[in-house]
């Protein structure tokens, strides 16, 4: 791994604030918290699960639903161990592990700035040992060598072994892709940074099969296209960059690889990798399985093994990046600040909150009716407790872009207050125009950034 640019130390402790907001408002909880937690495992709460689902849906929409050259798949996590032998994971899916001879801490050697010294105590480090990252378990009642299976460390292999099934059943011709979202497991040596590096995580991967002569064109296309996806969904362009891998960094199967990097509080780090995997995967599975994995081109009457361009993203890392870029503390008036998450409405966990000004005089009934109508289209939230200003702030904190308040005028003229999260501007809108007004606002939403 090349040395990373150091960003200014996390002056405002934004990670600490995100972790505590996550717990307070139900984005992310520590796994098994009542038993003191399980290292590097996290649970998404009611608001967090909506956020992460929106991130995954945005990916699926952009990568699969809205394209006619990519289809989806959902493979099982457990696969034949022969898959991992063929793919090279049993032999090569390792990280170099070093121990500090003084304090006994373990490190991933390739992530250390000085690979000879412990970053904590400066002690001498042991020689690196290659540590396989795959989780092993047993299938069936007998725990012997014959029943060993592995939890998949990536979703990609499920796609490769199904290449023929998908290609023939969907009658796809290269260039075409197969995408998948699902859990992957890696026994990471140094998990950490909240949901950035965990041992159980979710990936959003797509394998794009192309004629070999077109690999470089599609490699460039996918780097640009994936970058656009992050920008469209509200990532600050100044926090995103593409980093091409040095030849020495490339995985055994890759001809080229570029990372989409994000400026995390600890510096630039990987968000997504886009690799040119050549014909390595299909060829190796053909060799090991003895099954034909080539594509027959009707026009040229030739069989060939397609090359693969792979954009591989992490749902958890993307969710963290969206959270970090959305987070802001704003001075509203002297001595009054608000915490606000400026999510793009596409990924905001709740799109519209509806409040009756008072808990009486028929206002709750009108508000409930509006909520029911809008709930058909968007995730909504009804709240009638506390002062109206506090209710707005509670929604700001979870990034709800629109709030609607029903008041006494509503009974007179059928209008409500529509309040915008970002500008805090309030306008009067006729109840009958609410849907159309909000729909347009979401469609035309443009994020604004301070830095
Ligand atoms: P790193 O260098 O950070 O370990 P990687 O290069 O091994 O990552 P890939 O194999 O390219 O990662 O996986 C594709 C994507 O899956 C990554 O860009 C990341 O978003 C996600 N991912 C990989 N490992 C983890 C993990 N341990 N926790 C959370 N997300 C992960």
């Amino acid at each position: 791994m090349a040395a990373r640019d150091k960003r200014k130390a996390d002056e405002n402790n934004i990670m600490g604030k995100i972790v505590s907001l996550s717990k307070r408002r139900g984005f992310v909880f520590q796994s098994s918290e009542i038993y003191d937690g399980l290292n590097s495992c996290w649970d998404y709460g009611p608001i967090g699960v909506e956020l992460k689902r929106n991130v995954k849906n945005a990916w699926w929409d952009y990568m699969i639903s809205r394209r006619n050259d990519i289809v989806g798949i959902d493979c099982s996590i457990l696969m034949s161990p022969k898959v991992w032998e063929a793919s090279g994971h049993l032999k090569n899916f390792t990280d170099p592990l070093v121990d500090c001879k003084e304090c006994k801490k373990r490190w991933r050697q390739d992530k250390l700035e000085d690979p000879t010294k412990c970053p904590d105590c400066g002690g001498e480090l042991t020689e690196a040992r290659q540590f396989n990252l795959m989780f092993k378990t047993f299938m069936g009642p007998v725990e012997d060598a014959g029943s060993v299976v592995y939890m998949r460390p990536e979703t990609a292999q499920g796609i490769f072994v199904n290449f023929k099934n998908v290609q023939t059943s969907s009658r796809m011709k290269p260039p075409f892709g197969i995408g998948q979202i699902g859990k992957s497991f890696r026994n990471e040596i140094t998990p950490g940074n909240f949901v950035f590096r965990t041992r159980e995580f979710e990936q959003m991967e797509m394998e794009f099969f192309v004629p070999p002569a077109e690999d470089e064109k599609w490699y460039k296309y996918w780097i640009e296209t994936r970058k656009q996806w992050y920008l469209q969904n509200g990532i600050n362009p100044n926090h995103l960059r593409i980093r091409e891998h040095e030849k020495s960094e490339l995985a055994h199967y890759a001809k080229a690889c570029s990372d989409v990097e994000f400026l995390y509080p600890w510096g630039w780090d990987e968000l997504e990798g886009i690799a040119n995997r050549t014909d390595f995967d299909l060829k190796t599975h053909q060799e090991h399985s003895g099954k034909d994995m080539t594509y027959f081109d009707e026009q040229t009457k030739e069989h060939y093994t397609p090359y693969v361009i792979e954009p591989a993203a992490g749902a958890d890392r993307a969710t963290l990046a969206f959270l970090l870029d959305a987070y802001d503390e704003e001075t509203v008036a002297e001595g009054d600040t608000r915490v606000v998450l400026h999510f793009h409405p596409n990924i905001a966990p709740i799109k519209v909150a509806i409040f009756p000004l008072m808990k009486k005089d028929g206002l709750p009934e009108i508000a409930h009716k509006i909520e029911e109508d809008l709930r058909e289209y968007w995730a909504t939230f009804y709240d009638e407790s506390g002062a109206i200003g506090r209710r707005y702030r509670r929604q700001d904190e979870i990034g709800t872009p629109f709030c609607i308040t029903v008041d006494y005028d509503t009974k007179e003229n059928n209008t409500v207050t529509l309040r915008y999260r970002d500008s805090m501007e309030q306008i009067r809108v006729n109840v009958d125009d609410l849907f159309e007004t909000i729909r347009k606002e979401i469609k035309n939403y443009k994020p604004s950034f301070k830095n």
Side-chain angles (χ1 to χ4, degrees):
M1 188 70 46
R4 305 231 179 255
D5 289 9
K6 274 248 181 332
R7 179 154 103 156
K8 50 194 179 315
D10 186 6
E11 297 141 4
N12 306 313
N13 183 25
I14 184 172
M15 278 305 274
K17 287 173 180 168
I18 293 275
V19 173
S20 96
L21 173 73
S22 290
K23 179 169 157 71
R24 193 168 72 246
R25 298 309 312 273
F27 280 97
V28 179
F29 308 122
Q30 193 181 14
S31 160
S32 322
E33 194 189 77
I34 61 168
Y35 293 103
D36 301 327
L38 179 64
N39 187 16
S40 103
C41 294
W42 301 94
D43 298 337
Y44 287 81
I47 300 295
V49 72
E50 294 293 338
L51 174 63
K52 191 174 166 192
R53 275 168 59 114
N54 290 343
V55 170
K56 289 188 285 181
N57 288 343
W59 186 92
W60 193 270
D61 234 41
Y62 182 84
M63 298 293 282
I64 294 168
S65 307
R66 292 189 197 181
R67 298 185 64 117
N68 54 18
D69 57 351
I70 306 182
V71 291
I73 193 170
D74 185 12
C75 306
S76 68
I77 287 171
L78 302 176
M79 303 173 70
S80 165
K82 290 179 187 163
V83 170
W84 309 113
E85 204 181 305
S87 67
H89 281 83
L90 272 176
K91 210 157 115 208
N92 298 321
F93 197 57
T94 56
D95 276 341
L97 168 70
V98 288
D99 295 288
C100 172
K101 291 181 180 169
E102 306 293 324
C103 73
K104 310 292 174 211
K105 270 219 170 129
R106 303 203 136 157
W107 305 97
R108 211 175 122 176
Q109 190 193 40
D110 59 333
K111 298 274 178 190
L112 297 179
E113 243 161 57
D114 177 353
T116 61
K117 264 203 211 120
C118 173
D120 259 15
C121 75
E124 197 190 334
L125 297 172
T126 58
E127 288 284 301
R129 282 179 291 139
Q130 291 300 322
F131 172 75
N132 196 295
L133 299 177
M134 281 201 292
F135 274 92
K136 238 188 230 177
T137 186
F138 300 94
M139 197 141 172
V142 188
E143 296 194 4
D144 62 12
S147 60
V148 168
V149 288
Y150 301 91
M151 316 274 276
R152 68 178 175 200
E154 62 175 34
T155 62
Q157 296 302 323
I159 296 177
F160 296 130
V161 300
N162 276 295
F163 169 70
K164 276 282 185 182
N165 282 338
V166 175
Q167 189 266 315
T168 50
S169 63
S170 325
R171 305 179 55 226
M172 305 297 278
K173 294 188 182 76
F176 81 95
I178 308 175
Q180 163 156 241
I181 297 180
K183 289 255 172 152
S184 292
F185 301 82
R186 296 181 188 180
N187 205 357
E188 298 277 3
I189 296 168
T190 47
N193 282 329
F194 199 31
V195 298
F196 176 81
R197 187 184 303 288
T198 51
R199 295 191 170 114
E200 170 181 348
F201 54 97
E202 241 174 320
Q203 291 188 304
M204 310 186 286
E205 296 195 295
M206 195 277 292
E207 309 304 319
F208 203 69
F209 300 93
V210 304
E214 295 177 18
D215 67 332
E216 285 176 17
K217 171 180 114 186
W218 286 108
Y219 172 63
K220 288 200 189 90
Y221 168 88
W222 279 111
I223 293 172
E224 190 47 39
T225 305
R226 290 303 306 150
K227 189 174 152 197
Q228 285 310 319
W229 181 79
Y230 289 102
L231 298 177
Q232 269 179 33
N233 286 292
I235 292 290
N236 183 338
N238 296 329
H239 296 169
L240 209 60
R241 73 175 189 191
I242 302 295
R243 187 182 69 84
E244 173 110 37
H245 282 211
E246 315 267 335
K247 281 272 175 281
S248 60
E249 280 181 82
L250 292 177
H252 61 283
Y253 50 75
K255 172 172 160 187
C257 185
S258 289
D259 286 346
V260 178
E261 291 194 333
F262 177 74
L263 190 56
Y264 295 91
W266 59 90
W268 289 100
D269 216 335
E270 176 172 340
L271 187 51
E272 164 160 358
I274 294 133
N276 180 346
R277 297 181 72 125
T278 69
D279 54 4
F280 173 83
D281 302 276
L282 292 178
K283 276 205 167 136
T284 190
H285 285 304
Q286 173 162 307
E287 257 166 49
H288 284 77
S289 69
K291 306 283 179 341
D292 174 32
M293 299 295 264
T294 58
Y295 170 75
F296 180 66
D297 188 329
E298 293 285 352
Q299 266 166 1
T300 62
K301 304 285 176 214
E302 268 175 351
H303 286 272
Y304 71 86
T305 309
Y307 267 42
V308 173
I309 309 302
E310 172 195 75
D316 309 271
R317 276 192 201 177
T319 302
L320 176 61
F322 287 122
L323 257 171
L324 284 164
D325 260 8
Y327 186 89
D328 203 5
E329 288 165 22
E330 292 173 358
T331 307
V332 178
E334 223 184 280
D336 183 14
T337 55
R338 69 166 182 161
V339 169
V340 54
L341 295 178
H342 292 285
F343 287 131
H344 190 293
N346 274 348
I347 61 160
I350 291 173
K351 310 282 189 255
V352 195
I354 298 107
F355 317 138
L357 184 65
M358 307 293 275
K359 257 191 267 183
K360 56 183 186 183
D361 302 325
L363 302 185
E365 287 74 12
I366 302 173
H368 273 304
K369 170 80 177 64
I370 294 174
E371 197 217 343
E372 263 164 45
D373 289 348
L374 296 180
R375 199 192 287 156
E376 259 189 68
Y377 308 97
W378 299 300
T380 57
F381 186 81
Y382 175 87
D383 187 3
E384 59 178 24
S385 65
I388 207 78
R390 295 215 21 222
R391 284 184 253 172
Y392 285 142
R393 296 295 168 83
R394 285 202 289 261
Q395 294 306 314
D396 289 344
E397 231 186 16
I398 57 168
T400 306
F402 309 102
C403 290
I404 291 167
T405 302
V406 171
D407 56 22
Y408 290 97
D409 285 347
T410 313
K411 292 171 88 171
E412 303 294 316
N413 59 15
N414 202 37
T415 64
V416 289
T417 299
L418 178 63
R419 185 251 194 194
Y420 296 94
R421 173 198 66 200
D422 294 349
S423 62
M424 293 185 285
E425 186 196 348
Q426 304 189 6
I427 57 168
R428 291 300 287 192
V429 177
N430 192 292
V431 172
D432 300 331
D433 299 330
L434 271 176
F435 170 74
E436 199 44 36
T437 309
I438 296 173
R439 190 191 67 80
K440 274 202 196 124
E441 289 287 347
I442 295 178
K443 191 157 181 271
N444 301 327
Y445 183 82
K446 291 265 175 302
S448 61
F449 303 105
K450 286 186 190 155
N451 54 8

